[in-house]
Amino acid sequence: MNGWLETESGTTRGIVDLLQRLLSEGIVDALLVPLRTPDGRAVVPTLIRDPSLLSQARPLAPVLPINAGMVLGQITATGPAGRVGAVLRNCELRTVVELSKVRQALLDDVLLIGVDCLGTYAVEDYADLAAEGIDPVSPALAMAGQGTVQPLEGRAFRAACTMCERPIPSAGRGAAGGDDYAPHVAIGLLGVPNDQRLWLSVPDPDLAAVLGIEPADEPVARDEAIASLIADRTAERDRRFVRFAEQVSEPLSLLSEFATCIRCQNCMVACPICYCKECIFRTDIFHHPSARYWDWAARKGAVRLPSDTLLFHVTRMLHMAHACVGCGMCSDACPVDIPVADVFRAVGQRVQQRFDYVPGRHPDEEMVIATFREDELKDLGG
């Protein structure tokens, strides 16, 4: 059911009131929601059981310090102690769906709450805005109501957001249509008047009735605004993919792309789809005896250090490119500013298209890496 939920206190407060109601009325036993830190310079995913603490919730804060889908996996994978409601952006929703396929997140006792993503800033940029006393949410909501999404003047969104063609948390809103798993509650911000009431999409009619949603047709401006945003994001994505294809055409150019890698493995730690509990790169296999470096240097004339950097990234691609959700956490975590997300998204798109696989489409869809089909890759001579 689509419709309006009246609110008298503005969009952010209206969302917080909705969350407080879900918790106070026992619809959920806990909420995972971005919470303001005491100094106000950051927000972090926080599991809340006391409704009064929601006064510090910042569900629309335009920052992504960590993919909260990975956090939701941590608090559900071995069985949650109750029903949890989780406020997530669409890349985080896709993450949860993918993790559920390998039982690193359980969705049985989860109420997924999606929010239109209006773009996010780097963590340090968001902290600077807070330090300067600048509120990035109010102008973003004003623009969203008019059907546009832009960063503040003189600021820039994270690269991953500028090429995210799936920013709307509801089925049928992906670039290809029908690509994403619909959350239990989707909060619409783009292309709707959002100051005195909330636009909600709630597939379960019983939950919609409990929440008191007034059924209504979707505003025409919303559909147009979403289509325009997806077109802009898709164009930026394709531009970045063309750049990657021009720069990386064979192994040596791929090595060049990762030339400054220090093999800190930050990208792997930050990636929500790197789900292996035991990683080959965290074993003694890559702790080489000292003599081996001398042997490599003697045979080749020189050996690049740290070693195995390209092997590290290629191995990661083989494991998770099919399920890359495009959250950009890998690029954010890189201390030497390698555009890891651009590379993985470009490779991931090719893999996903070949196997007709859309990360986050449905929990029942088996992962490519876990499925064998006799007729796959026949066109490659497989």
Side-chain angles (χ1 to χ4, degrees), residues 288-302:
H288 305 300
S290 301
R292 185 166 299 174
Y293 296 106
W294 290 81
D295 291 341
W296 286 336
R299 188 170 72 249
K300 300 178 181 179

Side-chain angles (χ1 to χ4, degrees), residues 105-117:
L106 299 182
L107 300 182
D108 294 344
D109 290 311
V110 175
L111 182 77
L112 296 172
I113 305 167
V115 182
D116 283 2
C117 183

Side-chain angles (χ1 to χ4, degrees), residues 286-340:
F286 291 95
H287 295 167
H288 305 300
S290 301
R292 185 166 299 174
Y293 296 106
W294 290 81
D295 291 341
W296 286 336
R299 188 170 72 249
K300 300 178 181 179
V303 60
R304 240 177 122 253
L305 296 172
S307 64
D308 306 315
T309 54
L310 183 58
L311 180 61
F312 167 72
H313 290 287
V314 170
T315 301
R316 281 223 320 128
M317 285 182 197
L318 290 171
H319 279 197
M320 52 69 61
H322 72 285
C324 176
V325 297
C327 66
M329 294 283 92
C330 50
S331 287
D332 291 353
C334 181
V336 292
D337 297 325
I338 297 172
V340 187

Side-chain angles (χ1 to χ4, degrees), residues 116-326:
D116 283 2
C117 183
L118 306 180
T120 61
Y121 299 96
V123 171
E124 57 270 26
D125 291 341
Y126 182 82
D128 289 343
L129 289 171
E132 296 169 22
I134 298 174
D135 168 27
V137 176
S138 296
L141 286 173
M143 285 189 289
Q146 298 170 9
T148 61
V149 174
Q150 296 291 335
L152 294 172
E153 185 176 356
R155 310 285 178 169
F157 288 144
R158 296 168 57 245
C161 292
T162 66
M163 61 173 174
C164 174
E165 75 281 42
R166 298 163 67 189
I168 307 301
S170 57
R173 293 302 193 184
D179 284 347
D180 292 318
Y181 184 63
H184 302 96
V185 178
I187 302 173
L189 306 172
L190 187 61
V192 297
N194 52 39
D195 51 348
Q196 296 298 320
R197 53 185 182 172
L198 298 176
W199 175 256
L200 300 182
S201 177
V202 182
D204 182 355
D206 292 335
L207 179 59
V210 169
L211 296 178
I213 295 175
E214 179 184 342
D217 293 331
E218 183 176 73
V220 175
R222 176 164 170 76
D223 192 57
E224 295 174 348
I226 291 172
S228 176
L229 177 61
I230 289 175
D232 290 344
R233 297 280 178 82
T234 301
E236 175 62 14
R237 178 204 67 186
D238 292 346
R239 186 190 70 78
R240 288 176 175 270
F241 286 179
V242 168
R243 183 208 70 85
F244 173 76
E246 290 174 345
Q247 292 188 204
V248 181
S249 57
E250 39 79 32
L252 282 179
S253 57
L254 184 61
L255 179 61
S256 177
E257 197 78 3
F258 292 111
T260 57
C261 175
I262 59 174
R263 220 184 82 189
C264 64
Q265 301 182 353
N266 283 3
C267 56
M268 181 176 70
V269 173
C271 175
I273 304 299
C274 259
Y275 52 79
C276 295
K277 294 300 185 183
E278 295 183 7
C279 175
I280 190 173
F281 287 99
R282 297 285 179 87
T283 67
D284 291 340
I285 291 177
F286 291 95
H287 295 167
H288 305 300
S290 301
R292 185 166 299 174
Y293 296 106
W294 290 81
D295 291 341
W296 286 336
R299 188 170 72 249
K300 300 178 181 179
V303 60
R304 240 177 122 253
L305 296 172
S307 64
D308 306 315
T309 54
L310 183 58
L311 180 61
F312 167 72
H313 290 287
V314 170
T315 301
R316 281 223 320 128
M317 285 182 197
L318 290 171
H319 279 197
M320 52 69 61
H322 72 285
C324 176
V325 297

